[in-house]
Amino acid sequence: MGIFIVILTLISGAFLGVQSAINPAFAKKAGSFESAMVNYFFGAIIMGIVVVLFGKVDMIAISEVPTWQLLCAFFGLGYVVLTIFAVPKIGVSTAVILVIVGQLTTGMVIDNFGWFENSVINFDMKRLAGVVLMFIALYFILKTEPETQGGQEYKAA
């Protein structure tokens, strides 16, 4: 596994952590669904620029993909909206560890069966140990009661 890919993946995780912290603060002012909409609107503009500058700009290819592959947008939106609601109530670190445990568990099931055209990576004792350790970490993080500092709690739209 290349160190460059590992570093990029760590950075993407950091991006999700920062996004998880910023979105609820934005939603407090603009509204939960509005915050998610703005998130995706500006994300679409930025990605449009990236596609024009660095991509193939073959938008016809999108119409040729199987419909089930377009569901990725639904799942990404679900992540953003659900963390907007969760983070003010449980905190960034708890939300992130829950997301990671959910990703890890789902990823291992997908890997084991090779779903969605992915390579098969069998579930083994090392992977089981990883899942168990993540659940232990989740237990200790959930056991810590957050201190309310006012300001983060808001009523969702």
Side-chain angles (χ1 to χ4, degrees):
M1 179 178 340
I3 189 72
F4 183 67
I5 294 299
V6 171
I7 291 170
L8 284 179
T9 307
L10 284 170
I11 291 170
S12 74
F15 283 179
L16 284 178
V18 172
Q19 180 188 33
S20 295
I22 293 172
N23 278 341
F26 180 50
K28 184 177 179 181
K29 301 256 192 292
S32 299
F33 298 122
E34 294 81 359
S35 172
M37 181 193 68
V38 168
N39 185 314
Y40 278 92
F41 177 75
F42 284 108
I45 290 172
I46 292 166
M47 282 311 302
I49 294 167
V50 169
V51 166
V52 168
L53 294 176
F54 304 106
K56 296 185 233 175
V57 193
D58 184 10
M59 300 308 278
I60 294 172
I62 293 172
S63 67
E64 297 169 356
V65 301
T67 306
W68 66 267
Q69 292 176 354
L70 298 175
L71 288 174
C72 61
F74 169 78
F75 291 113
L77 178 63
Y79 166 77
V80 169
V81 171
L82 294 174
T83 56
I84 286 171
F85 286 112
V87 167
K89 310 254 187 281
I90 62 175
V92 176
S93 60
T94 303
V96 168
I97 193 73
L98 286 165
V99 166
I100 291 169
V101 169
Q103 287 175 327
L104 179 68
T105 306
T106 304
M108 286 190 188
V109 170
I110 292 168
D111 284 348
N112 190 66
F113 295 106
W115 291 342
F116 310 117
E117 300 178 6
N118 286 287
S119 300
V120 173
I121 302 172
N122 293 318
F123 189 80
D124 60 11
M125 292 308 289
K126 289 185 254 180
R127 289 178 154 239
L128 176 61
V131 171
V132 168
L133 290 172
M134 289 297 296
F135 275 97
I136 290 170
L138 178 60
Y139 170 79
F140 285 113
I141 289 172
L142 288 173
K143 199 147 172 62
T144 306
E145 288 294 320
E147 295 178 22
T148 44
Q149 297 184 359
Q152 220 15 320
E153 190 70 29
Y154 70 98
K155 295 199 187 283

